[in-house]
Amino acid sequence: MPDRKPAASPSEAESEILQIIWEREPCSVRKIHERILDHRRVGYTTVLKQLQRMLDKGLVDRIPGAGKSFDYVATRPAAETRTTLLDKLTRSVFGNSTNDLVMHALGRKDVSREDIAQIKEFIAELETGKREGDDA
């Protein structure tokens, strides 16, 4: 594999493709294209070109697939990429205020009672220091 710079932050379109790859890794261009077509029209070559740009940016790698095609895998785990994007959003849009970010998100009309219950449970876990997945 050629040397590439560290992975850049993905654009909105790249994030959509990464989400599909994280769910079904490794993933062919055809599979990615079919999943995107479930909710919007986009050409196969557009998806292919986007993946080529993502490869150049270090967001994905490609591995031999069936026949002469390639499959794509993410270079970074979903959690790491999401953290990077959230940190960037918090700094650039909310003046580095996690409180403002959370208050804005919770103030949206589409926050369900189930969402609020899960958030309360998460806050309780943070307060007791017993988050799921912690080694403590």
Side-chain angles (χ1 to χ4, degrees), residues 28-133:
S28 67
V29 178
R30 182 183 54 78
K31 287 181 186 175
I32 294 167
H33 181 242
E34 287 171 357
R35 281 290 307 281
I36 294 172
L37 284 176
D38 288 344
H39 57 278
R40 68 181 173 92
R41 296 203 44 85
V42 65
Y44 177 90
T45 56
T46 301
V47 174
L48 177 60
K49 183 65 176 171
Q50 193 71 52
L51 282 162
Q52 290 169 338
R53 286 188 189 123
M54 292 170 71
L55 183 66
D56 291 342
K57 289 172 74 173
L59 295 168
V60 296
D61 272 329
R62 63 182 185 189
I63 58 175
K68 295 181 181 181
S69 68
F70 289 99
D71 286 338
Y72 291 84
V73 296
T75 57
R76 296 181 354 201
E80 183 180 325
T81 301
R82 289 175 180 148
T83 297
T84 299
L85 288 171
L86 184 60
D87 289 347
K88 182 178 178 181
L89 178 70
T90 303
R91 277 191 316 276
S92 64
V93 177
F94 294 96
N96 214 28
S97 172
T98 302
N99 183 62
D100 287 351
L101 170 74
V102 171
M103 297 304 275
H104 183 80
L106 292 178
R108 295 172 45 114
K109 293 178 182 175
D110 61 349
V111 178
S112 69
R113 290 186 186 276
E114 293 81 19
D115 289 339
I116 292 170
Q118 287 180 337
I119 291 165
K120 285 179 179 179
E121 185 177 319
F122 182 78
I123 290 170
E125 290 172 1
L126 287 174
E127 290 176 337
T128 62
K130 295 183 179 180
R131 276 197 49 216
E132 210 174 284

